[in-house]
Amino acid sequence: MQLVRRWPYSIAVGVSILVGIAAVIGSHAVGIPLKDPEGFLGPAYIRLPLLALMLSGVGVLIAAARRRGLKRLPQGISEVVKHEWTLRRTLYIMTGLATFYVSYVGYRNLKSVLPVYREGTLYDRDLLQIDRWFFGGTDPAVVLHAVLGTDLTAVILSSVYLAYLPLVPISLGVFLVLSRDMAVGAWYATTLCLNWVFGVVSYYVLPAVGPIYSRPDLYTDLTATKVSNLQQGLLDNRLEFLTSPATSEAIHGVAAFASLHVSVTFAAALFLNRTGHHIIVRTAGWVFFALTFLATLYFGWHYVVDNIAGMLIGWAALTVGARATGCTPERLRKLREEPVWQSPVEEPAREPATSGAVRG
């Protein structure tokens, strides 16, 4: 625990190394090469450093403006970079990005080889029966589409669901770069790493493809959106991968239990709450989580049990992450008494005025 107190990234680094090794061994054992999943703004090893650089620039400008005002912004920038952007701070940010990247790539590759290791094993029929029990004997899709409609709601929820893709790396960059307490950024990075690990374990425990692929007939009335394009693209990748896992360039990305969209957004909303952000920010976090939860059922990505399990994973990841990084309730209470984002550093010491100086 002494190491954890000194370096809050100890657990995140350990987890990322383990999941990275598991991905290498798991892929090599079945003769499938590791792949780097591409996403928002290209491959993760490009978009994450770019995001960090952009947010670092924004953070420096904000701190410099608070320190010296807009008229003396260049002087403020020089002082902030000199006194605040230490080597330690830079290494913390780089470590947070690295642990996220390694954990995410490991997670995606372990998810990709899931059909090979769990060939022919799917629990969709059982999960669908539980869904019908929750909704009084009716499929959730039938109820939600009848109540919410299949046109405008589909467009709105599609935008919400897809916003998750860029918001995860963006939120990571924000908390790593702009948090005043560097352990808070480490807490969020550790939470994301644990989400990927807990999530991929759940995929292997209870393999499922989700309602949209097990009962596609329930979703034919929905207006075409970018979500439907994404679902078709994932299905095409799944079929291509299953045809020849060892030679396919596609990454298999279909897995229902548990929902990591729900786990990550739930963890993020809880994180905003516990770190004492403004009520508007906290409310936005909970609204985004609720709409994401709804969207996963509305579009047939997940079953109800998937989302419940996702909430449990999000809570567990955040709780373990807080303990691993030393973000105790006492520390967070002190943090809530001060501004959340990094504050200006103290003014450099000035020479004391000469006592008894003669006034001209």
Side-chain angles (χ1 to χ4, degrees), residues 198-231:
F198 294 161
V200 78
V201 169
S202 72
Y203 294 160
Y204 278 81
V205 171
L206 208 68
V209 294
I212 184 61
Y213 301 117
S214 62
R215 284 295 308 275
D217 55 294
L218 297 174
Y219 304 91
T220 54
D221 291 337
L222 287 177
T223 296
T225 61
K226 290 184 178 180
V227 159
S228 53
N229 294 337
L230 176 60
Q231 289 173 330

Side-chain angles (χ1 to χ4, degrees), residues 47-240:
R47 69 178 183 270
L48 288 179
L50 285 177
L51 183 63
L53 285 173
M54 180 186 71
L55 290 172
S56 296
V58 172
V60 169
L61 288 175
I62 292 173
R66 279 197 310 223
R67 185 181 177 87
R68 291 297 183 185
L70 293 178
K71 292 183 178 180
R72 302 174 66 186
L73 191 61
Q75 181 181 353
I77 291 174
S78 176
E79 292 176 355
V80 168
V81 171
K82 180 180 178 181
H83 297 286
E84 190 168 334
W85 281 85
T86 61
L87 177 61
R88 178 169 173 263
R89 185 181 191 88
T90 303
L91 289 176
Y92 268 52
I93 293 172
M94 292 174 62
T95 302
L97 293 174
T99 56
F100 172 86
Y101 173 72
V102 173
S103 297
Y104 180 71
V105 171
Y107 149 77
R108 286 296 304 273
N109 278 275
L110 288 170
K111 182 180 182 180
S112 186
V113 298
L114 171 63
V116 179
Y117 283 100
R118 300 286 274 156
E119 184 178 2
T121 304
L122 291 173
Y123 289 91
D124 288 273
R125 181 175 297 180
D126 303 289
L127 294 172
L128 187 59
Q129 290 299 321
I130 297 174
D131 260 13
R132 288 171 178 163
W133 179 81
F134 274 115
F135 279 76
T138 307
D139 290 295
V142 174
V143 176
L144 293 176
H145 297 168
V147 173
L148 301 176
T150 57
D151 297 318
L152 179 60
T153 302
V155 174
I156 294 173
L157 290 180
S158 173
S159 300
V160 171
Y161 187 86
L162 294 176
Y164 167 93
L165 302 176
L167 281 180
V168 171
I170 288 174
S171 65
L172 174 66
V174 166
F175 291 120
L176 286 178
V177 172
L178 301 183
S179 290
R180 175 172 41 80
D181 188 337
M182 287 184 285
V184 172
W187 179 17
Y188 191 69
T190 302
T191 297
L192 291 179
C193 292
L194 292 172
N195 265 283
W196 307 137
V197 174
F198 294 161
V200 78
V201 169
S202 72
Y203 294 160
Y204 278 81
V205 171
L206 208 68
V209 294
I212 184 61
Y213 301 117
S214 62
R215 284 295 308 275
D217 55 294
L218 297 174
Y219 304 91
T220 54
D221 291 337
L222 287 177
T223 296
T225 61
K226 290 184 178 180
V227 159
S228 53
N229 294 337
L230 176 60
Q231 289 173 330
Q232 184 60 50
L234 289 174
L235 178 59
D236 292 342
N237 285 346
R238 172 177 169 81
L239 296 176
E240 180 185 337

Side-chain angles (χ1 to χ4, degrees), residues 241-284:
F241 178 85
L242 293 178
T243 300
S244 180
T247 60
S248 173
E249 293 296 323
I251 295 181
H252 178 269
V254 176
F257 183 90
S259 171
L260 288 201
H261 264 67
V262 167
S263 76
V264 171
T265 54
F266 184 68
L270 275 178
F271 178 84
L272 294 173
N273 230 48
R274 294 186 183 180
T275 49
H277 282 70
H278 192 280
I279 183 63
I280 295 177
V281 177
R282 300 200 307 267
T283 301

Side-chain angles (χ1 to χ4, degrees), residues 16-35 105-107 109-111 113-114 116-117 204:
S16 63
I17 290 174
L18 288 176
V19 74
I21 292 173
V24 172
I25 295 174
S27 298
H28 179 73
V30 292
I32 298 175
L34 286 175
K35 302 182 181 73
V105 171
Y107 149 77
N109 278 275
L110 288 170
K111 182 180 182 180
V113 298
L114 171 63
V116 179
Y117 283 100
Y204 278 81

